[in-house]
Structure formats: C-alpha cells, structure tokens
C-alpha cells in the first residue's frame, strides 16, 4: 500500500526486520512505494481527482511522475460528463420501464382466478371474462408431476444409471408401463447398439450401454397400454446438459423449413428432426378412421414435455408428429426458449399444436426471452414477481404481447443474481406447489 513520507521511518521500526530496512536508502524506499502505487491502481488517484490542487495528498509516486504520465491521467477527465450522462439515461430508462411494467402487471389475469384446478373454482365474475376459455383445460397437480418427470433425465453420470433412476421413480409412483432411454449416439436398430464387446487378450465380455458420454441421453419415452386398449405415449426431452447443447442453442439464425412452412430456429429444428426420425419406430403408427381422424382407431395418444432446450424442441417435435398423422394431445414447455421467427409463424404453428399447449415461464429466467427476435407458441403460465399470471395464446397476440418483450421485462441485476436458481426445474415445481396452496386457501 502507498504510505506517506513521514510514515516510512516509524514503519521501519515497527517491522520485525527493522535492522534490514534501516539499511535501505530513503530514496530507494520512495521509489519502491511509487512503483507499487502505480501498479496496484490504488484508490489514491481516484480520490485526488475530486479534490482541489492544494488539498491533494502528495503521495510518493507524484514526486516521481513524468509529464507524460500527468498528461495521460488528465485525458480521462473529459470522459466524466459523458459517463455521467450515459448513467443518468440508463437509470432513468430502467425506472421508467419498471414503472410501466408494474402498471401493465396490475391488469393481467391471475392464475389462481383462471380455473386451473377445475371449473368449480370459478366465480361469477370469472365467467364473464375471457379467461373462462382456459378453465379446466389444465390441472396443476398434473403439471407438477409432468415437469418433475421431465427433470429426471440428465441427473446421473451414465445412461444405464439414468434408466435405473427412471424405472425406480415411476415404479414407486404406480407407473407400470415401459421406458426407453435414447442417447442418439447410434441408430436405434443398429446391430452394434447394446452389443457385447470382447477383449481379445483376456477373452472377457462387457455390455456397453450408452457408453458415449459425448452424446448423453436426448429423450426418454414412457408408454403404457391401458385395459381399454388405449396406448399412452409420453415423450420427455432433455434440457441443456452438454457443450453440444449450448452450441445448438447458439445457432440462433432462422431458416425456412419446408415441412413446417415457416422460418424456425436452426439449432432447435435440427435437434427436433433428429428426435423425430429416432422416435418414429418406437411409436404406435397412426391410423385413419372413416372421418379421417388420425390415431382414433387404435386409441394411441402422444404427449410431450421438455425443459429449457427440451421445451422448444418438444414444441417442434409435436408439430412434426401431428403433420405425420399422430394424435398429439398435450405439450408442456418448461422454461423453453423461443423457436419461431415472428407473429405470422406463430399463428401458423399454433394451428398444428393441440389445445392443451402450455409454456411455464419466470420473468427472472432470461432463457425464456431468448433469442429476442423470436416468439413462442401456446398458453403462458407466467411467474412475475410474487404473482402467477395466466395468459391465453390469443391474448399474447394482442393486448398482452408486451409480456413477451425482453427489453420491457429484463431486470438485469435481479436476473444475474437469480438466473442459476430460477432456471432449475425444482424452482418451477416450488412455485407451482405454492400456487396450489394459495388456490386451496382461497377456497376455504
């Protein structure tokens, strides 16, 4: 630390090595302190800039500063007014957007008044609002269990352990169907997948199950055949886990997809195509009835859910499956980013999604606002501050479109502090469970 000239001699006597320090010439001490002050960027220079010349402390390095150094320091004085104006504008804009956002939040429909737990919760005033269209469409306990199942994948170090965890979790909760875990590192029906490898020297065999850790499991399929002959198929897409997933999210340019007939996110669409081609042999093939309704003859239904990257991919996979004739009944996107280009694309794609298409988002989760030029599809359950709001897909195209704006809803400092926590599955589960408690308390 820089010290004053009068403090050097007392400090030398207080030092344990005072004998050695006393032998050092005084001018060498001054030069050492001057060099340390310039290198360490001490607060001395910043504090002296705001003091008059007569009140400035004469530190040792000022005695040895050259004219070039003094001129270099004076150049930064011209940037102070510019920085002050920029800071004032930024703070003023932030305060204005926060105030405007508070006003708009006050008129949004609350989720606890939307009838998520059943139409019997609706009051007379609710029946007169547009939110009545969402009543009984979604069930919160079902949503909680669905997104919890989506968060099970990607939690272990190997695909084999992942399969054991999934089996145990479903068996403990009364799920008696089958589970297929896919990592997409090999073709589904490759003769080398799950094969035995023989060590030529020892002659021992080992069973390789998903050994390629560079391509961890991408999704898992749960299927169950009920007593009435209905086949229920549920597809859960994994979120961002690997470096390859991050690179997929960064491929943010929008390209035209001939199958969808619009422009979509390149990385998400490429990932969705891989899943579609891989999962088709596992699904019950669609059949058409006399009225041309797909999937009604064999009663085979498909449901999809995904978290983060998996949420956007689940939306695209659902659209592609419906275009192929599969009977998709429900799609749930948890903290999913945006995957289509604009309003026209959103209006086109929402026709191919089932009525029960919901995305669950948090205003402190910046992933749900990325990329800023994209849009999402479906009804929106939005956690903003201490409240939960329910926005229909039709209102998001009109008066509530502001809730999709990154620039109006971004709270930079709060997002930086809470992003790692709010984006996790368990954070959304806790918010949904609290919403259930609040709704039940209102009933009694």
């Amino acid at each position: 630390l820089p010290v004053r000239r009068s403090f050097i001699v007392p400090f030398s006597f207080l030092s344990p090595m005072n004998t050695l320090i006393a032998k050092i010439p005084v001018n060498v001490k001054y030069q050492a302190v001057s060099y340390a002050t310039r290198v360490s960027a001490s607060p001395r220079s910043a504090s002296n800039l705001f003091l008059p010349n007569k009140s400035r402390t004469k530190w040792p390095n000022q005695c040895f500063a050259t004219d070039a150094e003094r001129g270099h320091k004076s150049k930064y004085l011209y940037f102070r007014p510019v920085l002050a104006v920029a800071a004032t504008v930024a703070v003023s804009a932030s305060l204005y957007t926060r105030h405007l956002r508070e006003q708009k939040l006050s008129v949004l429909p609350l989720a606890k008044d939307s009838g998520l737990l059943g139409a019997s919760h609706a009051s007379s005033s609710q029946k007169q609002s547009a939110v009545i269209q969402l009543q009984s469409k979604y069930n919160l306990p079902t949503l909680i269990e669905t997104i919890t199942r989506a968060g099970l994948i990607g939690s272990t170090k190997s695909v084999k352990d992942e399969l054991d965890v999934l089996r145990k979790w479903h068996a403990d909760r009364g799920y008696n169907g089958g589970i297929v875990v896919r990592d997409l590192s090999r073709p589904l029906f490759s003769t080398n997948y799950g094969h035995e490898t023989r060590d030529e020297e020892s002659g021992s065999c080992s069973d390789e199950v998903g050994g390629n850790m560079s391509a961890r499991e991408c999704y898992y399929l749960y299927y169950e055949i009920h007593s009435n002959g209905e086949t229920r198929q549920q597809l859960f897409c994994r979120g961002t886990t690997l470096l390859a997933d991050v690179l997929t999210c960064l491929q943010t340019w929008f390209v035209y997809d001939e199958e969808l007939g619009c422009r979509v996110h390149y990385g998400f669409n490429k990932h969705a195509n891989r899943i579609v081609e891989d999962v088709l042999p596992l699904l019950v093939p669609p059949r058409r009835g006399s009225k041309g309704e797909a999937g009604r003859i064999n009663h085979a239904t498909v449901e999809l859910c995904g978290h983060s990257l998996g949420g956007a991919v689940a939306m695209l996979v659902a659209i592609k499956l419906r275009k192929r004739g599969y009977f998709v009944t429900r799609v749930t996107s948890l903290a999913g980013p945006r995957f289509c280009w604009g309003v026209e694309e959103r209006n086109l794609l929402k026709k191919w999604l089932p009525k029960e298409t919901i995305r669950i988002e948090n205003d402190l989760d910046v992933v749900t606002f990325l990329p800023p030029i994209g849009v999402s599809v479906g009804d929106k359950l939005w956690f903003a501050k201490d409240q939960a709001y329910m926005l229909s897909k039709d209102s998001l195209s009109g008066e509530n479109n502001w809730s999709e704006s990154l620039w109006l809803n971004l709270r930079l400092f709060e997002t930086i502090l809470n992003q790692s926590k709010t984006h996790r599955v368990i954070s959304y589960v806790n918010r949904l469970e609290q919403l259930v408690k609040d709704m039940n308390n209102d009933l009694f």
Side-chain angles (χ1 to χ4, degrees):
L1 295 175
V3 295
R4 297 197 180 194
R5 184 179 304 180
S6 60
F7 289 160
I8 290 182
V9 176
F11 180 78
S12 66
F13 284 102
L14 295 175
S15 173
M17 302 180 64
N18 54 357
T19 304
L20 179 61
I21 296 176
K23 296 180 179 179
I24 301 176
V26 177
N27 61 337
V28 175
K29 296 179 184 178
Y30 291 160
Q31 293 178 3
V33 173
S34 174
Y35 176 79
T37 304
R38 290 197 297 267
V39 173
S40 61
S42 66
R44 185 267 319 148
S45 58
S47 60
N48 282 343
L49 291 176
F50 295 93
L51 296 176
N53 293 332
K54 296 182 180 180
S55 302
R56 292 187 181 182
T57 305
K58 293 184 178 180
W59 299 93
N61 68 325
Q62 289 183 337
C63 300
F64 298 92
T66 62
D67 295 337
E69 291 176 344
R70 294 191 183 96
H72 179 71
K73 294 179 182 178
S74 63
K75 292 180 181 179
Y76 293 100
L77 299 178
Y78 298 102
F79 292 98
R80 289 183 189 171
V82 178
L83 294 177
V85 172
T88 303
V89 172
V91 172
S92 301
S94 176
L95 293 176
Y96 173 75
T97 54
R98 288 171 182 261
H99 177 70
L100 180 63
R101 182 174 179 270
E102 292 292 336
Q103 291 181 337
K104 291 181 175 295
L105 283 175
S106 61
V107 297
L108 287 182
L110 296 176
K112 62 181 181 180
D113 298 330
S114 63
L116 286 176
L117 291 180
S120 59
H121 297 165
S123 62
S124 58
S125 60
Q126 293 172 330
K127 295 180 180 179
Q128 299 176 0
S129 64
V131 186
I132 189 66
Q133 299 176 0
L134 294 174
Q135 291 179 1
S136 301
K137 182 186 292 188
Y138 307 105
N139 182 270
L140 278 179
T142 302
L143 285 176
I144 293 174
E145 187 166 310
T146 300
I147 66 175
T148 302
R149 296 168 67 188
L152 296 175
I153 193 169
S155 59
T156 62
K157 296 182 179 180
S158 68
V159 181
K160 186 176 183 303
D161 294 339
E162 199 82 56
L163 181 59
D164 294 337
V165 171
L166 292 172
R167 284 174 174 171
K168 185 178 185 304
W169 191 95
H170 286 81
D172 293 343
R173 288 159 179 80
Y175 290 90
N176 300 319
I179 297 177
V180 179
V181 180
R182 292 289 294 136
D183 64 355
L184 302 189
S185 59
R186 301 179 181 89
L188 179 61
F189 294 109
S190 173
T191 57
N192 295 326
Y193 184 76
H195 67 297
E196 288 186 350
T197 59
R198 180 178 296 276
D199 190 347
E200 297 296 338
E201 296 181 358
S202 61
S204 60
C205 296
S206 62
D207 187 15
E208 294 184 359
V209 181
N212 187 1
M213 294 305 295
S214 63
R216 280 292 303 274
E217 65 283 352
C218 189
Y219 70 89
Y220 79 91
L221 176 69
Y222 174 83
Y223 60 93
E224 184 175 358
I225 303 176
H226 297 279
S227 57
N228 59 358
E230 178 184 353
T231 302
R232 187 180 185 185
Q233 304 164 110
Q234 296 175 313
L235 186 66
F236 297 91
C237 302
R238 173 179 54 77
T240 304
T241 306
L242 305 175
L243 177 60
D245 301 329
V246 178
L247 298 178
T248 299
C249 297
L250 294 178
Q251 297 173 351
T252 56
W253 53 92
F254 290 81
V255 297
Y256 183 82
D257 185 271
E258 294 183 358
E259 182 180 9
L260 301 179
C262 62
R263 288 182 293 178
V264 292
H265 189 286
Y266 175 79
F268 300 156
N269 189 49
K270 182 179 178 181
H271 198 66
N273 289 333
R274 295 176 60 213
I275 294 181
V276 170
E277 297 302 324
D278 190 83
V279 77
L280 285 180
L282 299 174
L283 299 176
V284 176
R287 299 180 183 178
R288 295 189 179 276
S290 58
K291 297 183 180 181
E293 295 180 348
R296 297 281 186 176
I297 297 298
N298 53 6
H299 300 283
T301 61
V302 182
E303 303 174 15
L304 296 98
C305 180
H307 169 248
S308 188
L309 165 67
V313 172
M315 292 278 193
L316 291 171
V317 172
I319 298 172
K320 292 177 181 292
L321 290 179
R322 291 202 71 179
K323 281 182 171 289
R324 285 170 167 80
Y326 289 89
F327 186 44
V328 181
T329 59
R330 181 186 304 165
V331 183
T332 305
S333 174
L334 179 67
R338 302 172 179 182
F339 60 91
C340 59
W341 171 252
V343 178
E344 294 183 2
E345 283 77 3
R346 176 168 58 187
N347 295 333
L348 176 63
L349 295 180
K350 71 180 182 181
K351 298 178 181 179
W352 288 98
L353 287 169
K355 294 181 179 181
E356 295 188 33
T357 300
I358 186 173
R359 48 194 175 103
I360 307 174
E361 301 176 359
N362 193 317
D363 68 333
L364 293 180
D365 189 355
V366 71
V367 175
T368 61
F369 294 101
L370 299 178
I373 58 176
V375 296
S376 296
V377 186
D379 300 326
K380 181 177 178 179
L381 177 57
W382 191 33
F383 293 103
K385 297 187 67 174
D386 298 330
Q387 296 290 342
Y389 303 93
M390 191 66 203
L391 308 175
S392 66
K393 55 186 177 183
D394 296 330
S395 66
L396 290 172
S397 301
E399 67 274 11
N400 294 328
N401 188 38
W402 66 268
S403 63
E404 303 285 278
S405 173
L406 170 65
W407 319 114
L408 187 58
N409 293 282
L410 178 62
R411 293 179 289 167
L412 183 60
F413 297 105
E414 294 92 331
T415 302
I416 293 175
L417 295 176
N418 297 280
Q419 176 61 37
S420 60
K421 180 178 65 175
T422 56
H423 189 62
R424 300 175 61 185
V425 176
I426 186 62
S427 174
Y428 283 93
V429 171
N430 293 336
R431 294 295 297 267
L432 288 171
E433 290 178 347
Q434 183 62 42
L435 178 59
V436 172
K437 294 180 181 179
D438 294 341
M439 296 180 69
N440 291 332
N441 292 336
D442 293 342
L443 293 177
F444 302 99

